PDB file of all heavy atoms in Angstrom:
ATOM      1  N   GLN A   7     -26.188 -45.377  -6.397  1.00  0.00           N
ATOM      2  CA  GLN A   7     -24.769 -45.061  -6.395  1.00  0.00           C
ATOM      3  C   GLN A   7     -24.478 -43.565  -6.348  1.00  0.00           C
ATOM      4  O   GLN A   7     -23.495 -43.153  -5.743  1.00  0.00           O
ATOM      5  CB  GLN A   7     -24.107 -45.679  -7.619  1.00  0.00           C
ATOM      6  CG  GLN A   7     -22.611 -45.549  -7.587  1.00  0.00           C
ATOM      7  CD  GLN A   7     -21.944 -46.523  -8.503  1.00  0.00           C
ATOM      8  OE1 GLN A   7     -22.349 -47.662  -8.592  1.00  0.00           O
ATOM      9  NE2 GLN A   7     -20.917 -46.079  -9.174  1.00  0.00           N
ATOM     10  N   THR A   8     -25.307 -42.745  -6.964  1.00  0.00           N
ATOM     11  CA  THR A   8     -24.987 -41.319  -7.009  1.00  0.00           C
ATOM     12  C   THR A   8     -25.596 -40.507  -5.881  1.00  0.00           C
ATOM     13  O   THR A   8     -25.084 -39.445  -5.542  1.00  0.00           O
ATOM     14  CB  THR A   8     -25.433 -40.700  -8.352  1.00  0.00           C
ATOM     15  OG1 THR A   8     -26.838 -40.875  -8.507  1.00  0.00           O
ATOM     16  CG2 THR A   8     -24.689 -41.329  -9.516  1.00  0.00           C
ATOM     17  N   ARG A   9     -26.678 -40.997  -5.293  1.00  0.00           N
ATOM     18  CA  ARG A   9     -27.340 -40.215  -4.247  1.00  0.00           C
ATOM     19  C   ARG A   9     -27.352 -40.929  -2.907  1.00  0.00           C
ATOM     20  O   ARG A   9     -26.909 -40.384  -1.903  1.00  0.00           O
ATOM     21  CB  ARG A   9     -28.774 -39.880  -4.666  1.00  0.00           C
ATOM     22  CG  ARG A   9     -29.446 -38.867  -3.759  1.00  0.00           C
ATOM     23  CD  ARG A   9     -30.784 -38.430  -4.302  1.00  0.00           C
ATOM     24  NE  ARG A   9     -31.799 -39.443  -4.251  1.00  0.00           N
ATOM     25  CZ  ARG A   9     -32.560 -39.708  -3.182  1.00  0.00           C
ATOM     26  NH1 ARG A   9     -32.413 -39.017  -2.092  1.00  0.00           N
ATOM     27  NH2 ARG A   9     -33.482 -40.637  -3.232  1.00  0.00           N
ATOM     28  N   LEU A  10     -27.843 -42.147  -2.854  1.00  0.00           N
ATOM     29  CA  LEU A  10     -28.009 -42.842  -1.580  1.00  0.00           C
ATOM     30  C   LEU A  10     -26.675 -43.261  -0.956  1.00  0.00           C
ATOM     31  O   LEU A  10     -26.444 -43.040   0.234  1.00  0.00           O
ATOM     32  CB  LEU A  10     -28.918 -44.065  -1.753  1.00  0.00           C
ATOM     33  CG  LEU A  10     -30.336 -43.770  -2.234  1.00  0.00           C
ATOM     34  CD1 LEU A  10     -31.098 -45.058  -2.463  1.00  0.00           C
ATOM     35  CD2 LEU A  10     -31.052 -42.866  -1.262  1.00  0.00           C
ATOM     36  N   LEU A  11     -25.813 -43.889  -1.746  1.00  0.00           N
ATOM     37  CA  LEU A  11     -24.535 -44.372  -1.219  1.00  0.00           C
ATOM     38  C   LEU A  11     -23.660 -43.240  -0.660  1.00  0.00           C
ATOM     39  O   LEU A  11     -23.188 -43.344   0.479  1.00  0.00           O
ATOM     40  CB  LEU A  11     -23.790 -45.173  -2.284  1.00  0.00           C
ATOM     41  CG  LEU A  11     -22.408 -45.692  -1.894  1.00  0.00           C
ATOM     42  CD1 LEU A  11     -22.501 -46.656  -0.724  1.00  0.00           C
ATOM     43  CD2 LEU A  11     -21.755 -46.357  -3.089  1.00  0.00           C
ATOM     44  N   PRO A  12     -23.434 -42.145  -1.404  1.00  0.00           N
ATOM     45  CA  PRO A  12     -22.604 -41.078  -0.829  1.00  0.00           C
ATOM     46  C   PRO A  12     -23.201 -40.467   0.443  1.00  0.00           C
ATOM     47  O   PRO A  12     -22.475 -40.145   1.386  1.00  0.00           O
ATOM     48  CB  PRO A  12     -22.526 -40.037  -1.955  1.00  0.00           C
ATOM     49  CG  PRO A  12     -22.775 -40.809  -3.199  1.00  0.00           C
ATOM     50  CD  PRO A  12     -23.755 -41.883  -2.813  1.00  0.00           C
ATOM     51  N   ALA A  13     -24.519 -40.317   0.481  1.00  0.00           N
ATOM     52  CA  ALA A  13     -25.165 -39.764   1.683  1.00  0.00           C
ATOM     53  C   ALA A  13     -24.984 -40.702   2.868  1.00  0.00           C
ATOM     54  O   ALA A  13     -24.657 -40.267   3.980  1.00  0.00           O
ATOM     55  CB  ALA A  13     -26.639 -39.496   1.413  1.00  0.00           C
ATOM     56  N   ALA A  14     -25.175 -41.989   2.639  1.00  0.00           N
ATOM     57  CA  ALA A  14     -25.022 -42.977   3.723  1.00  0.00           C
ATOM     58  C   ALA A  14     -23.576 -43.032   4.203  1.00  0.00           C
ATOM     59  O   ALA A  14     -23.316 -43.080   5.409  1.00  0.00           O
ATOM     60  CB  ALA A  14     -25.492 -44.352   3.249  1.00  0.00           C
ATOM     61  N   ALA A  15     -22.639 -43.030   3.271  1.00  0.00           N
ATOM     62  CA  ALA A  15     -21.218 -43.056   3.640  1.00  0.00           C
ATOM     63  C   ALA A  15     -20.850 -41.815   4.456  1.00  0.00           C
ATOM     64  O   ALA A  15     -20.102 -41.903   5.430  1.00  0.00           O
ATOM     65  CB  ALA A  15     -20.354 -43.155   2.387  1.00  0.00           C
ATOM     66  N   GLY A  16     -21.388 -40.671   4.077  1.00  0.00           N
ATOM     67  CA  GLY A  16     -21.135 -39.440   4.819  1.00  0.00           C
ATOM     68  C   GLY A  16     -21.670 -39.509   6.236  1.00  0.00           C
ATOM     69  O   GLY A  16     -21.010 -39.062   7.182  1.00  0.00           O
ATOM     70  N   GLN A  17     -22.859 -40.073   6.409  1.00  0.00           N
ATOM     71  CA  GLN A  17     -23.423 -40.226   7.754  1.00  0.00           C
ATOM     72  C   GLN A  17     -22.553 -41.120   8.619  1.00  0.00           C
ATOM     73  O   GLN A  17     -22.313 -40.826   9.789  1.00  0.00           O
ATOM     74  CB  GLN A  17     -24.830 -40.815   7.681  1.00  0.00           C
ATOM     75  CG  GLN A  17     -25.887 -39.854   7.242  1.00  0.00           C
ATOM     76  CD  GLN A  17     -27.254 -40.515   7.225  1.00  0.00           C
ATOM     77  OE1 GLN A  17     -27.382 -41.730   7.060  1.00  0.00           O
ATOM     78  NE2 GLN A  17     -28.286 -39.701   7.389  1.00  0.00           N
ATOM     79  N   MET A  18     -22.097 -42.249   8.031  1.00  0.00           N
ATOM     80  CA  MET A  18     -21.283 -43.174   8.818  1.00  0.00           C
ATOM     81  C   MET A  18     -19.939 -42.547   9.193  1.00  0.00           C
ATOM     82  O   MET A  18     -19.467 -42.724  10.317  1.00  0.00           O
ATOM     83  CB  MET A  18     -21.100 -44.488   8.064  1.00  0.00           C
ATOM     84  CG  MET A  18     -22.385 -45.286   7.944  1.00  0.00           C
ATOM     85  SD  MET A  18     -22.160 -46.917   7.219  1.00  0.00           S
ATOM     86  CE  MET A  18     -21.701 -46.533   5.537  1.00  0.00           C
ATOM     87  N   ALA A  19     -19.332 -41.815   8.259  1.00  0.00           N
ATOM     88  CA  ALA A  19     -18.065 -41.140   8.565  1.00  0.00           C
ATOM     89  C   ALA A  19     -18.257 -40.088   9.650  1.00  0.00           C
ATOM     90  O   ALA A  19     -17.451 -39.979  10.585  1.00  0.00           O
ATOM     91  CB  ALA A  19     -17.494 -40.509   7.300  1.00  0.00           C
ATOM     92  N   PHE A  20     -19.342 -39.339   9.553  1.00  0.00           N
ATOM     93  CA  PHE A  20     -19.623 -38.305  10.561  1.00  0.00           C
ATOM     94  C   PHE A  20     -19.869 -38.927  11.931  1.00  0.00           C
ATOM     95  O   PHE A  20     -19.462 -38.370  12.956  1.00  0.00           O
ATOM     96  CB  PHE A  20     -20.822 -37.466  10.132  1.00  0.00           C
ATOM     97  CG  PHE A  20     -21.122 -36.340  11.082  1.00  0.00           C
ATOM     98  CD1 PHE A  20     -20.302 -35.220  11.118  1.00  0.00           C
ATOM     99  CD2 PHE A  20     -22.195 -36.414  11.952  1.00  0.00           C
ATOM    100  CE1 PHE A  20     -20.555 -34.180  12.009  1.00  0.00           C
ATOM    101  CE2 PHE A  20     -22.458 -35.383  12.841  1.00  0.00           C
ATOM    102  CZ  PHE A  20     -21.636 -34.269  12.876  1.00  0.00           C
ATOM    103  N   GLU A  21     -20.503 -40.082  11.954  1.00  0.00           N
ATOM    104  CA  GLU A  21     -20.783 -40.772  13.220  1.00  0.00           C
ATOM    105  C   GLU A  21     -19.496 -41.003  14.012  1.00  0.00           C
ATOM    106  O   GLU A  21     -19.499 -40.960  15.234  1.00  0.00           O
ATOM    107  CB  GLU A  21     -21.482 -42.109  12.939  1.00  0.00           C
ATOM    108  CG  GLU A  21     -21.672 -43.004  14.137  1.00  0.00           C
ATOM    109  CD  GLU A  21     -22.669 -42.469  15.165  1.00  0.00           C
ATOM    110  OE1 GLU A  21     -23.361 -41.471  14.910  1.00  0.00           O
ATOM    111  OE2 GLU A  21     -22.756 -43.077  16.252  1.00  0.00           O
ATOM    112  N   ALA A  22     -18.389 -41.234  13.317  1.00  0.00           N
ATOM    113  CA  ALA A  22     -17.133 -41.543  14.006  1.00  0.00           C
ATOM    114  C   ALA A  22     -16.233 -40.319  14.191  1.00  0.00           C
ATOM    115  O   ALA A  22     -15.136 -40.455  14.725  1.00  0.00           O
ATOM    116  CB  ALA A  22     -16.380 -42.619  13.231  1.00  0.00           C
ATOM    117  N   THR A  23     -16.687 -39.132  13.813  1.00  0.00           N
ATOM    118  CA  THR A  23     -15.818 -37.959  13.954  1.00  0.00           C
ATOM    119  C   THR A  23     -15.525 -37.638  15.412  1.00  0.00           C
ATOM    120  O   THR A  23     -14.543 -36.979  15.694  1.00  0.00           O
ATOM    121  CB  THR A  23     -16.406 -36.712  13.272  1.00  0.00           C
ATOM    122  OG1 THR A  23     -17.683 -36.416  13.831  1.00  0.00           O
ATOM    123  CG2 THR A  23     -16.495 -36.884  11.783  1.00  0.00           C
ATOM    124  N   ARG A  24     -16.353 -38.073  16.302  1.00  0.00           N
ATOM    125  CA  ARG A  24     -16.137 -37.821  17.728  1.00  0.00           C
ATOM    126  C   ARG A  24     -15.808 -39.110  18.472  1.00  0.00           C
ATOM    127  O   ARG A  24     -15.929 -39.178  19.680  1.00  0.00           O
ATOM    128  CB  ARG A  24     -17.374 -37.169  18.340  1.00  0.00           C
ATOM    129  CG  ARG A  24     -17.654 -35.822  17.728  1.00  0.00           C
ATOM    130  CD  ARG A  24     -18.933 -35.259  18.271  1.00  0.00           C
ATOM    131  NE  ARG A  24     -19.205 -33.979  17.628  1.00  0.00           N
ATOM    132  CZ  ARG A  24     -19.615 -32.921  18.272  1.00  0.00           C
ATOM    133  NH1 ARG A  24     -19.825 -32.962  19.561  1.00  0.00           N
ATOM    134  NH2 ARG A  24     -19.828 -31.808  17.617  1.00  0.00           N
ATOM    135  N   CYS A  25     -15.403 -40.092  17.747  1.00  0.00           N
ATOM    136  CA  CYS A  25     -15.144 -41.415  18.298  1.00  0.00           C
ATOM    137  C   CYS A  25     -13.822 -41.433  19.054  1.00  0.00           C
ATOM    138  O   CYS A  25     -12.797 -41.004  18.521  1.00  0.00           O
ATOM    139  CB  CYS A  25     -15.131 -42.425  17.159  1.00  0.00           C
ATOM    140  SG  CYS A  25     -14.783 -44.083  17.666  1.00  0.00           S
ATOM    141  N   SER A  26     -13.828 -41.949  20.262  1.00  0.00           N
ATOM    142  CA  SER A  26     -12.630 -41.937  21.093  1.00  0.00           C
ATOM    143  C   SER A  26     -11.590 -42.969  20.683  1.00  0.00           C
ATOM    144  O   SER A  26     -10.425 -42.840  21.023  1.00  0.00           O
ATOM    145  CB  SER A  26     -13.011 -42.137  22.559  1.00  0.00           C
ATOM    146  OG  SER A  26     -13.634 -43.390  22.724  1.00  0.00           O
ATOM    147  N   HIS A  27     -11.971 -44.001  19.950  1.00  0.00           N
ATOM    148  CA  HIS A  27     -10.991 -45.027  19.608  1.00  0.00           C
ATOM    149  C   HIS A  27     -10.639 -45.077  18.130  1.00  0.00           C
ATOM    150  O   HIS A  27      -9.919 -45.962  17.692  1.00  0.00           O
ATOM    151  CB  HIS A  27     -11.431 -46.411  20.080  1.00  0.00           C
ATOM    152  CG  HIS A  27     -12.797 -46.793  19.652  1.00  0.00           C
ATOM    153  ND1 HIS A  27     -13.158 -47.037  18.358  1.00  0.00           N
ATOM    154  CD2 HIS A  27     -13.921 -46.960  20.372  1.00  0.00           C
ATOM    155  CE1 HIS A  27     -14.429 -47.352  18.294  1.00  0.00           C
ATOM    156  NE2 HIS A  27     -14.923 -47.306  19.491  1.00  0.00           N
ATOM    157  N   SER A  28     -11.106 -44.140  17.355  1.00  0.00           N
ATOM    158  CA  SER A  28     -10.767 -44.102  15.944  1.00  0.00           C
ATOM    159  C   SER A  28      -9.419 -43.428  15.750  1.00  0.00           C
ATOM    160  O   SER A  28      -9.147 -42.374  16.309  1.00  0.00           O
ATOM    161  CB  SER A  28     -11.838 -43.319  15.171  1.00  0.00           C
ATOM    162  OG  SER A  28     -11.450 -43.171  13.833  1.00  0.00           O
ATOM    163  N   THR A  29      -8.548 -44.046  14.939  1.00  0.00           N
ATOM    164  CA  THR A  29      -7.236 -43.459  14.665  1.00  0.00           C
ATOM    165  C   THR A  29      -7.305 -42.447  13.531  1.00  0.00           C
ATOM    166  O   THR A  29      -6.473 -41.557  13.444  1.00  0.00           O
ATOM    167  CB  THR A  29      -6.216 -44.551  14.301  1.00  0.00           C
ATOM    168  OG1 THR A  29      -6.709 -45.265  13.164  1.00  0.00           O
ATOM    169  CG2 THR A  29      -5.995 -45.489  15.461  1.00  0.00           C
ATOM    170  N   THR A  30      -8.293 -42.578  12.650  1.00  0.00           N
ATOM    171  CA  THR A  30      -8.401 -41.656  11.522  1.00  0.00           C
ATOM    172  C   THR A  30      -9.219 -40.418  11.846  1.00  0.00           C
ATOM    173  O   THR A  30      -9.108 -39.412  11.180  1.00  0.00           O
ATOM    174  CB  THR A  30      -9.028 -42.349  10.293  1.00  0.00           C
ATOM    175  OG1 THR A  30     -10.321 -42.831  10.655  1.00  0.00           O
ATOM    176  CG2 THR A  30      -8.152 -43.481   9.826  1.00  0.00           C
ATOM    177  N   ASN A  31     -10.050 -40.492  12.846  1.00  0.00           N
ATOM    178  CA  ASN A  31     -10.893 -39.370  13.237  1.00  0.00           C
ATOM    179  C   ASN A  31     -10.707 -39.110  14.728  1.00  0.00           C
ATOM    180  O   ASN A  31     -11.463 -39.616  15.538  1.00  0.00           O
ATOM    181  CB  ASN A  31     -12.368 -39.664  12.950  1.00  0.00           C
ATOM    182  CG  ASN A  31     -12.627 -39.823  11.486  1.00  0.00           C
ATOM    183  OD1 ASN A  31     -12.210 -38.987  10.694  1.00  0.00           O
ATOM    184  ND2 ASN A  31     -13.308 -40.887  11.115  1.00  0.00           N
TER     185      ASN A  31
END
C-alpha cells in the first residue's frame, strides 16, 4: 500500500498523459 500501489498508480496515470481520447489528460 505505501510503496507498490502508489508507484503502479503513477505509471498508469502517466501512461494516459498523452492519450488522445482521455478527457482528464
Side-chain angles (χ1 to χ4, degrees):
Q7 188 160 320
T8 59
R9 190 172 70 85
L10 299 176
L11 177 62
Q17 285 181 333
M18 291 186 293
F20 183 74
E21 173 68 9
T23 58
R24 297 175 182 224
C25 178
S26 62
H27 52 68
S28 174
T29 58
T30 59
N31 296 311

